[in-house]
Amino acid sequence: MDKPQKDDQADHKTSDSGKIYTNHSLRSTAVGRLSDVGLESHQIMSQPVTACLLSAAFFGALGSSFIYGYNLSVVNAPALYIKAFYNKTWMERYGEPVAAETATLLWSITVSIFAIGGLLGAWSVSLIIRVLGRKGTLLLNNSFAVIAALLLSLGEKAKSFEMLIIGRLIIGVDSGIALSVLPMYLGEITPRHIRGSIGQFNSILICLGVFTGQVLGLPELLGQESRWNYLFSFLALPAVLQLCVLPFLPESPRYLLMERRDEAGAERAFQRFLGKKDVSQELEEVHAEARAQDNLQTASVLQLLKSPAVRWQLITIIITMACYQLCGLNAIWYYTSGILREAGFAENIIPYITLSTGAIETLAAIVSGLVIERIGRKPLLIFGFSAMAGFFSLLTVFLSFQDSVSWMPYLSYICILAVIASFCSGPGGIPFILTGELFEQSYRPAAFMIAGTVNWLSNFAVGLLFPFIQEKLQSFAFLVFVVVCTLGSIYLYFVLPETKNKTFMDISQSFAKINKMPVPSPGQEMELVLSIERDVNGKGQDVAKMESSF
């Protein structure tokens, strides 16, 4: 910040509305003192992870992210049986086989309507969480999973393919809500020094859901014509498990204090999540921000889009979430079985070999969760997208020579596994963590709505456009994803600040320069002013002690 800006803000005054304006040098001193927290940071880092926090992360993700991941893979194994059911039902209704174009249309709707449901779910999040809160929304969301499981599993007996299509729409709504609310909940209940690791439960359970769908879809289990409907019945199990556990876990303390004004409830939530009785520092930090919220209500999507204070945070989330879907991972599944056939593997063992893709996904996500607080979000994202670009380039070369060199399909499959591992090492989960970290409390619901919209629209676009791209470019189709991954890495390198072990205020301050905002946002300014006044009057703790585990 240049000298004239400091001079312009030398005066301070109190307006008629009661807003406090403090001089820049005093704010700078406060920021410096807030950053000088060596002892406090050491104590924070030594805090154990409580069973309450782990339970909230695991069971929250089990009834949310796991179901989303499971639905990404569960329709693959019974695809032929579902199409046969559609044809049989059409015959019984109309007395003639379904036309090829109609059959293709019905199957396309069945697959793609999942993304449409996800988009509807993402749009509804902001409204629902205002009424029910984070935990309440997750609990309500289980009803969508149970209803969808009933429709999908009973559609065959009812001789209604419409039930399957509606069931896919409803489970899409469930996933759209889950992918917005769960990262928000985990980010708000977790101390900042493990916020990334706990946030990666979202990614880990997505991958575990994909792997579970692959395993249960094996012919020896539920991947048979007489059992395929039980694949969808399984959807109710994780939802019921979450319903049994989550009601006994606390709501987000930040939500309780800032939006419900329930200080006693927020204190109990902090105590359970942190495993300690004295949570005065955590309460004081959120209390200051809560007082600021009296003048800064929860922002709408339109207000978020118009606000210059969060302009580059919003651009960053849109680009990162778009790259998450457009980086080409979904297209990988199109080639996996064909490459294995070219390698000479028997058709009946290909499903077992493809299990390695799900296993690699899960393993890479777990490793990412273990190292994210050491390495950081930014390096993992850039490494993941850059590695994907490299392996997609190699895969393009290997696919070009696959017909002429007998051992080339093996290298192609190794590249596929490497692409999957690269994705799950960072891009597979960190975009959801960043959406919660880059925005303050008032902007967070609207930010997740926009991120969810970009996510599901990009998902739908890939499913719609990739078959045409593949038809035109053949094996060179992956070069499109090379460009996307490369551009995403370059943008993140120059724009994204590192967010590990930083408070939400620190992260917002990291964008102040690029947003051309010379002063802190209203919430940060009020928090600093309140801290300074207590310090000056001798009525509160030292400003440095305001630094809490959050």
Side-chain angles (χ1 to χ4, degrees):
M1 199 175 295
D2 56 21
K3 182 70 175 177
Q5 288 173 318
K6 294 182 179 180
D7 293 336
D8 290 341
Q9 299 178 29
D11 297 329
H12 65 279
K13 59 182 179 179
T14 304
S15 67
D16 294 336
S17 61
K19 291 185 179 179
I20 305 169
Y21 294 86
T22 172
N23 64 57
H24 180 77
S25 60
L26 190 55
R27 280 198 304 268
S28 300
T29 302
V31 172
R33 296 178 68 183
L34 280 168
S35 301
D36 187 18
V37 289
L39 178 60
E40 286 78 4
S41 297
H42 176 74
Q43 292 172 345
I44 291 168
M45 296 292 285
S46 63
Q47 288 180 3
V49 181
T50 62
C52 180
L53 182 59
L54 285 176
S55 297
F58 177 76
F59 286 100
L62 182 66
S64 304
S65 308
F66 179 87
I67 292 177
Y68 166 69
Y70 184 78
N71 277 281
L72 292 179
S73 63
V74 71
V75 295
N76 295 332
L80 293 177
Y81 306 133
I82 295 175
K83 291 176 182 178
F85 160 65
Y86 283 7
N87 188 55
K88 179 182 177 182
T89 303
W90 193 277
M91 279 280 292
E92 292 176 352
R93 287 186 187 181
Y94 306 109
E96 61 181 12
V98 62
E101 296 82 1
T102 306
T104 302
L105 177 63
L106 286 174
W107 180 246
S108 298
I109 293 174
T110 304
V111 174
S112 62
I113 204 168
F114 176 69
I116 296 174
L119 186 61
L120 295 176
W123 285 347
S124 67
V125 162
S126 183
L127 176 63
I128 298 175
I129 61 172
R130 290 183 186 181
V131 179
L132 300 178
R134 280 62 166 154
K135 189 182 82 169
T137 303
L138 288 174
L139 290 173
L140 173 68
N141 202 32
N142 290 306
S143 63
F144 293 115
V146 173
I147 293 171
L150 290 173
L151 289 171
L152 289 164
S153 58
L154 297 178
E156 184 187 26
K157 291 185 178 180
K159 298 181 180 181
S160 171
F161 53 76
E162 294 89 350
M163 289 176 64
L164 269 71
I165 294 173
I166 296 172
R168 285 282 291 176
L169 175 68
I170 293 175
I171 202 62
V173 172
D174 172 275
S175 297
I177 294 173
L179 291 185
S180 294
V181 180
L182 178 70
M184 197 185 312
Y185 179 62
L186 296 183
E188 292 180 4
I189 68 175
T190 309
R192 68 175 186 271
H193 71 285
I194 55 171
R195 196 165 55 217
S197 297
I198 295 297
Q200 280 294 75
F201 270 81
N202 180 48
S203 175
I204 293 170
L205 268 293
I206 289 175
C207 297
L208 189 60
V210 171
F211 185 59
T212 303
Q214 291 175 333
V215 172
L216 293 181
L218 292 174
E220 288 78 7
L221 297 176
L222 302 179
Q224 299 181 17
E225 188 170 8
S226 60
R227 300 177 184 174
W228 65 264
N229 52 345
Y230 295 113
L231 280 169
F232 298 111
S233 302
F234 180 80
L235 285 169
L237 179 60
V240 170
L241 288 175
Q242 189 187 82
L243 281 171
C244 292
V245 176
L246 200 59
F248 302 99
L249 299 174
E251 173 62 276
S252 162
R254 295 180 65 87
Y255 167 79
L256 290 173
L257 189 54
M258 299 180 69
E259 299 185 38
R260 289 291 178 89
R261 301 296 189 262
D262 182 3
E263 184 168 359
E267 182 177 9
R268 290 192 297 269
F270 272 130
Q271 289 171 340
R272 291 190 62 189
F273 283 131
L274 299 180
K276 62 180 184 178
K277 291 185 178 180
D278 184 10
V279 293
S280 57
Q281 293 178 8
E282 286 76 16
L283 282 172
E284 186 58 42
E285 178 185 308
V286 183
H287 226 318
E289 192 175 347
R291 284 189 286 263
Q293 293 298 311
D294 290 336
N295 294 322
L296 186 63
Q297 299 296 324
T298 300
S300 66
V301 171
L302 185 60
Q303 289 172 323
L304 175 61
L305 292 172
K306 289 182 176 180
S307 174
V310 292
R311 181 164 297 149
W312 280 96
Q313 290 96 310
L314 184 60
I315 293 172
T316 299
I317 287 303
I318 290 174
I319 291 177
T320 306
M321 196 60 74
C323 289
Y324 168 77
Q325 286 290 353
L326 301 178
C327 66
L329 188 77
N330 292 338
I332 281 290
W333 310 117
Y334 184 89
Y335 275 90
T336 302
S337 297
I339 288 173
L340 290 174
R341 291 189 189 96
E342 291 290 335
F345 292 103
E347 190 71 29
N348 60 336
I349 67 169
I350 287 179
Y352 302 95
I353 300 175
T354 54
L355 289 179
S356 59
T357 59
I360 288 292
E361 269 192 308
T362 307
L363 180 61
I366 292 173
V367 172
S368 176
L370 293 174
V371 304
I372 188 172
E373 297 300 348
R374 293 176 178 268
I375 298 176
R377 285 72 156 151
K378 182 175 181 177
L380 285 177
L381 273 176
I382 294 174
F383 166 79
F385 282 128
S386 300
M388 289 182 75
F391 288 119
F392 271 134
S393 301
L394 290 175
L395 182 59
T396 302
V397 174
F398 295 155
L399 288 174
S400 300
F401 292 98
Q402 186 159 292
D403 295 333
S404 56
V405 182
S406 60
W407 44 265
M408 197 62 72
Y410 296 98
L411 292 181
S412 298
Y413 190 64
I414 291 173
C415 274
I416 286 177
L417 295 179
V419 166
I420 293 171
S422 301
F423 175 81
C424 293
S425 67
I430 294 178
F432 298 99
I433 298 173
L434 285 179
T435 306
E437 289 184 330
L438 298 189
F439 297 90
E440 294 178 348
Q441 189 84 5
S442 59
Y443 290 114
R444 200 168 291 134
F448 269 101
M449 182 185 292
I450 292 175
T453 300
V454 173
N455 177 31
W456 290 102
L457 286 178
S458 300
N459 180 296
F460 185 76
V462 170
L464 182 67
L465 299 177
F466 180 73
F468 298 100
I469 296 174
Q470 193 276 330
E471 183 180 353
K472 294 292 184 182
L473 301 180
Q474 298 298 319
S475 60
F476 294 100
F478 289 112
L479 294 179
V480 175
F481 304 124
V482 172
V483 174
V484 172
C485 292
T486 301
L487 293 178
S489 299
I490 294 172
Y491 175 87
L492 292 170
Y493 178 80
F494 286 105
V495 176
L496 180 67
E498 181 52 64
T499 63
K500 71 170 183 177
N501 200 28
K502 288 185 178 181
T503 65
F504 296 126
M505 183 190 71
D506 292 334
I507 295 169
S508 293
Q509 278 291 88
S510 300
F511 281 93
K513 183 177 181 180
I514 192 172
N515 283 327
K516 298 180 180 179
M517 299 295 293
V519 295
S521 66
Q524 296 167 340
E525 184 170 357
M526 181 67 76
E527 179 176 340
L528 288 172
V529 169
L530 292 170
S531 303
I532 293 165
E533 285 202 327
R534 282 191 297 273
D535 188 49
V536 171
N537 295 331
K539 295 180 180 180
Q541 301 176 5
D542 185 79
V543 179
K545 293 183 180 179
M546 284 280 293
E547 190 76 3
S548 73
S549 56
F550 285 75

